[in-house]
Amino acid sequence: MPDTHSRNSPAKHGDAFLSALNAEQREAVLHDSADAPDPRALLVIAGAGSGKTSTLAHRVAHLILQGADPQRILLLTFSRRAALEMERRVGEVLARAMGLPAGRRAPSLPWAGTFHGIGARLLREYAPRIGLAENFTIHDRGDAEDLMGLVRHELGYSSTQSRFPLKGTCLSIYSRVVNSQQPLAEVLDAAYPWCSAWCEALQRLFGAYVQAKQDQNALDYDDLLLYWAEMMREPALAADVAARFDHVLVDEYQDTNRQQADILLAMKPDGRGLTVVGDDAQAIYSFRAATVRNILDFPGCFAQPARVVTLERNYRSTQPILDASNAVIGLAAERYAKQLWTDREGATLPALVTVSDEAGQARWVADQVLAQREAGVALKAQAALFRAAGHSAALELELTRRSIPFVKFGGLRFLEAAHIKDVLALLRWAQNPRGRMAGFRVAQLLPGVGPATSARLLDALADAANPVAALRGFEPGAMVSAKDWQGLADVYAKLAGGRAGWPGELDLAVRWYLPYLERRYDDARVRAADLDQLVRIAAGYGSRERFLTELTLDPPDATSDESGPPLRDEDYMILSTIHSAKGQEWHSVYVLNAVDGCIPSDLATGSAEDIEEERRLLYVAMTRARERLHIIVPQRFYVHQQAGMGDRHVYASRTRFIPDSITHLFQRLPEPAAAPVPESAATPGPRLDLAARMRARWQ
């Protein structure tokens, strides 16, 4: 923990824009300044709520003020929203530091984006040099699954005698292998042991899947990193890409996979100009092939070990919440040592709440939520967090019964909504006539067109020099209306020719699709509102290609994520998985099912590394709370579909991550009953010889 002097020491530099930073933040911002050159890479260990975003924004601004060219700064984040927020914060800092008048914009950051977004841009630019067509399309998760399913069927794996993994599982295995850089057999043994018998078949399937993507001039999400990483293994290309950027800054480095780490090390092999920011205690995405080893091993990746700066001052939570959170993560097997502290003392200890079962848990949370609301805490400032989406079922029922509106996060994504996929498929097909998944989907929107007709159509287009003419000349059969077919051919010709311009092309696609929307869905009016939202989003992009790429890589939330009733209320409570809650904060947080079997999940205890990640997951949940933290321990909960035992109640024990040694940092609810007051002498009455009765039993 920093001493009192370090907390209050003045800035070494007179830069006014640094005055809002604490000493450790300034140390990170000023690394490798002109008056203090330092060729080492920089690792900033930023504890929860320690002002990580502000520190990174100030560092970028400082680099620009020191003369760095914004065109030569690469800023990598894990969401497009985070990149936009970072660019906005950098702009605000620069405007203050440069004294820009109101209305004058600060320098922008053209190379701020996600790993996958930047990868897509670089692949477009280098496409001729790496064997890609410049008009390649990017499959989203749904399209990639469909293509995997098609290849799976063509290889005969859908009619096997024993169970073959489904298409979604196959794609997950493929993604894990690609991103973890582990052999297929090792991935199967570690994460998919029930699929180990299919190792050779999966190897053939993945080879055929890659070939199918190449035949269709398409990449999936994982390819954007894979192709970029392969580029960086070629010395000439690596040198060319690396020469573009003087500074590379990475947010949330603990969430990177091995491939992303390899890309960074190839761009800055000596570490100079490389800054990574993250928190090993918040590494919770191993199921996406992220590895905490990247941040733990980072200092030793260079000839000169990286400089490490630790941010420990917390601006979010009260000290009692931080004390409990520090104690939980302090039991981790391996970590960067840090003790979060704050000036916000707080009078309320985090609560360990014992309830009877999940129904009792739901009632208790609902009672507390309403009590907090009456005390002036808005519903939006209260959140219930849980390990898995199914853990909130009882609470959702209780909130509905008591008319407490809520929104649950972690549900359907915008691009996963069928009507959105329909419209985007039309745009993708016009962009890339060889894209079979998009064409297959669009063709079957027409009444009378089935899989066989769609396959014939796409075969015809694949062999045609002029896809538009081939589409117009195709004979779909008597079951298909000539008007419908002519309408499809007309809209395809306009989109393929680019005559409507952008975003007029999307408006054209939506207008063509609306009659089919009304024909296919009962809630067409609600879905049409989503399409209106899509059109509004499109106005922020300069081209169809940029729109399709960016939306596929980082889609916004769908309106259907939020159930109807909460939208009619000015306030609503938040329900979220812990994974979806990362980066968020609330006044009051309720952590559900803090018992072994849920936290840690009984499916995540196969190795010491898995258990440590579950510990970090609880830490993330606890550090979301600003003022009040409640960790709820049901004494029993209901489990379903247990082999041999069916559905049954099981008795639970408090999560192993809160052992007895640290429970003094929590308030125990309900309060332990007071010791009984000794009663006065027993009331005189008949005297019983129970000893004689006991003897008599055996006589």
Side-chain angles (χ1 to χ4, degrees):
M1 181 179 294
D3 59 24
T4 305
H5 176 74
S6 68
R7 296 182 191 184
N8 300 307
S9 59
K12 296 179 182 178
H13 295 252
D15 307 72
F17 81 103
L18 297 177
S19 60
L21 304 180
N22 62 41
E24 290 76 21
Q25 290 173 327
R26 288 194 297 272
E27 186 180 353
V29 168
L30 298 173
H31 171 73
D32 194 24
S33 296
D35 56 345
D38 190 339
R40 294 176 294 173
L42 174 65
L43 169 61
V44 182
I45 299 296
S50 62
K52 165 180 68 69
T53 302
S54 178
T55 303
L56 192 54
H58 278 79
R59 174 144 179 78
V60 175
H62 176 70
L63 291 173
I64 295 173
L65 291 173
Q66 289 268 302
D69 183 355
Q71 301 275 347
R72 297 180 60 81
I73 295 177
L74 175 60
L75 177 59
L76 294 166
T77 65
F78 275 83
S79 72
R80 185 167 165 270
R81 183 185 305 171
L84 292 173
E85 172 65 12
M86 188 65 68
E87 189 168 9
R88 184 188 68 80
R89 296 279 289 273
V90 171
E92 289 178 351
V93 174
L94 283 173
R96 289 197 305 271
M98 298 168 69
L100 297 178
R104 184 177 171 188
R105 294 185 62 186
S108 62
L109 297 173
W111 287 95
T114 65
F115 271 96
H116 294 86
I118 297 297
R121 285 182 63 182
L122 290 172
L123 294 184
R124 294 267 184 216
E125 291 191 25
Y126 287 89
R129 296 177 62 181
I130 58 177
L132 284 175
E134 294 182 39
N135 68 333
F136 67 81
T137 52
I138 302 171
H139 283 173
D140 62 13
R141 174 78 187 191
D143 288 341
E145 277 192 14
D146 290 344
L147 181 58
M148 182 71 77
L150 181 63
V151 175
R152 177 180 178 271
H153 178 72
E154 290 175 348
L155 292 177
Y157 295 146
S158 58
S159 58
T160 52
Q161 294 290 321
S162 57
R163 182 185 64 164
F164 193 83
L166 296 174
K167 62 181 182 180
T169 305
C170 292
L171 185 63
S172 296
I173 296 171
Y174 171 83
S175 181
R176 188 74 167 257
V177 171
V178 168
N179 289 303
S180 68
Q181 298 184 349
Q182 291 179 300
L184 174 59
E186 290 184 13
V187 169
L188 293 178
D189 288 342
Y192 304 90
W194 64 93
C195 303
S196 294
W198 296 103
C199 185
E200 291 185 8
L202 287 168
Q203 190 85 26
R204 288 193 296 273
L205 172 64
F206 297 158
Y209 171 67
V210 170
Q211 185 63 56
K213 286 189 294 182
Q214 293 178 358
D215 292 343
Q216 299 182 30
N217 190 28
L219 303 180
D220 63 22
Y221 198 64
D222 298 314
D223 286 333
L224 300 174
L225 290 184
L226 180 60
Y227 276 66
W228 187 6
E230 288 298 322
M231 279 172 56
M232 302 306 289
R233 291 188 176 95
E234 293 296 321
L237 280 173
D240 195 24
V241 174
R244 288 169 166 257
F245 307 109
D246 297 326
H247 299 276
V248 178
L249 302 98
V250 186
D251 194 14
E252 305 287 5
Y253 189 66
Q254 78 280 350
D255 295 335
T256 55
N257 58 41
R258 295 190 185 280
Q259 214 146 235
Q260 289 163 324
D262 287 349
I263 289 170
L264 293 173
L265 295 177
M267 294 186 72
K268 298 292 178 183
D270 62 352
R272 180 126 204 184
L274 178 59
T275 299
V276 303
V277 182
D279 183 7
D280 57 298
Q282 299 186 66
I284 59 174
Y285 293 115
S286 66
F287 64 92
R288 297 178 185 168
T291 172
V292 71
R293 297 302 331 166
N294 284 349
I295 194 168
L296 291 175
D297 299 339
F298 182 81
C301 291
F302 310 96
Q304 280 189 284
R307 181 183 182 186
V308 181
V309 176
T310 304
L311 307 183
E312 296 180 304
R313 182 174 182 177
N314 180 281
Y315 296 92
R316 175 186 299 157
S317 306
T318 62
Q319 193 61 52
I321 292 174
L322 295 180
D323 290 340
S325 303
N326 288 334
V328 167
I329 202 63
L331 298 172
E334 186 179 6
R335 67 187 185 98
Y336 286 100
K338 58 180 177 294
Q339 286 288 111
L340 299 183
W341 63 274
T342 183
D343 292 331
R344 303 177 61 227
E345 291 302 324
T348 305
L349 292 176
L352 268 179
V353 185
T354 301
V355 295
S356 58
D357 52 22
E358 288 180 291
Q361 175 176 251
R363 290 192 297 271
W364 189 89
V365 171
D367 288 343
Q368 291 297 310
V369 167
L370 291 177
Q372 288 282 301
R373 179 176 176 269
E374 291 302 314
V377 181
L379 294 180
K380 286 182 180 178
Q382 304 185 64
L385 308 182
F386 32 87
R387 174 64 178 83
H391 292 173
S392 66
L395 178 58
E396 291 177 44
L397 292 173
E398 183 68 16
L399 295 175
T400 302
R401 187 180 68 81
R402 297 171 71 165
S403 299
I404 302 174
F406 64 89
V407 170
K408 185 174 178 180
F409 290 97
L412 188 68
R413 301 278 285 179
F414 195 57
L415 290 184
E416 293 169 357
H419 53 296
I420 299 295
K421 288 178 70 70
D422 290 342
V423 173
L424 294 182
L426 177 59
L427 295 178
R428 289 197 181 99
W429 192 29
Q431 180 91 359
N432 177 17
R434 292 167 60 188
R436 292 185 71 86
M437 303 315 301
F440 204 73
R441 185 182 191 99
V442 172
Q444 292 185 80
L445 293 174
L446 274 59
V449 177
T453 304
S454 300
R456 284 198 300 113
L457 169 66
L458 295 170
D459 289 341
L461 264 65
D463 297 332
N466 186 340
V468 173
L471 179 62
R472 290 192 183 279
F474 184 78
E475 296 291 338
M479 298 292 293
V480 183
S481 158
K483 182 181 177 182
D484 282 343
W485 193 259
Q486 185 64 41
L488 173 61
D490 288 344
V491 73
Y492 185 86
K494 291 176 182 176
L495 293 174
R499 295 196 296 267
W502 185 259
E505 293 168 337
L506 178 58
D507 187 58
L508 182 66
V510 169
R511 281 190 279 113
W512 172 83
Y513 176 70
L514 283 176
Y516 301 101
L517 177 74
E518 295 170 358
R519 194 179 301 170
R520 292 166 67 88
Y521 302 108
D522 293 333
D523 59 344
R525 185 182 61 81
V526 175
R527 294 175 184 262
D530 277 349
L531 296 178
D532 291 339
Q533 180 185 354
L534 189 67
V535 173
R536 289 193 296 272
I537 292 171
Y541 296 86
S543 68
R544 177 173 66 192
E545 178 271 316
R546 187 70 182 269
F547 170 75
L548 290 173
T549 298
E550 294 291 337
L551 204 62
T552 302
L553 298 179
D554 191 27
D557 293 333
T559 56
S560 51
D561 284 348
E562 304 179 357
S563 54
L567 296 179
R568 303 188 197 115
D569 201 290
E570 62 183 8
D571 199 11
Y572 47 82
M573 185 184 174
I574 306 298
L575 307 186
S576 175
T577 62
I578 301 174
H579 286 99
S580 297
K582 189 168 173 290
Q584 305 297 314
E585 59 182 68
W586 295 274
H587 178 279
S588 299
V589 169
Y590 310 89
V591 182
L592 306 186
N593 289 351
V595 297
D596 268 17
C598 295
I599 305 176
S601 168
D602 54 3
L603 299 177
T605 54
S607 68
E609 291 80 8
D610 291 341
I611 295 172
E612 288 302 311
E613 178 154 326
E614 293 290 300
R615 185 193 312 276
R616 296 193 293 268
L617 201 62
L618 177 60
Y619 174 80
V620 167
M622 295 173 66
T623 52
R624 300 311 94 195
R626 292 198 300 267
E627 301 286 342
R628 298 176 67 90
L629 171 64
H630 310 82
I631 298 177
I632 309 168
V633 184
Q635 295 298 284
R636 62 177 186 167
F637 57 95
Y638 203 69
V639 296
H640 306 273
Q641 300 176 354
Q642 296 295 298
M645 296 189 171
D647 298 350
R648 62 193 177 99
H649 277 99
V650 298
Y651 291 89
S653 58
R654 185 179 69 238
T655 174
R656 69 188 72 180
F657 304 136
I658 305 180
D660 291 341
S661 60
I662 67 172
T663 53
H664 66 280
L665 298 170
F666 297 84
Q667 176 188 6
R668 306 290 290 273
L669 297 177
E671 298 286 353
V677 179
E679 297 183 5
S680 56
T683 306
R687 186 172 179 178
L688 301 176
D689 190 352
L690 294 183
R693 294 186 184 184
M694 298 302 108
R695 293 193 302 271
R697 283 173 175 265
W698 305 101
Q699 293 177 353

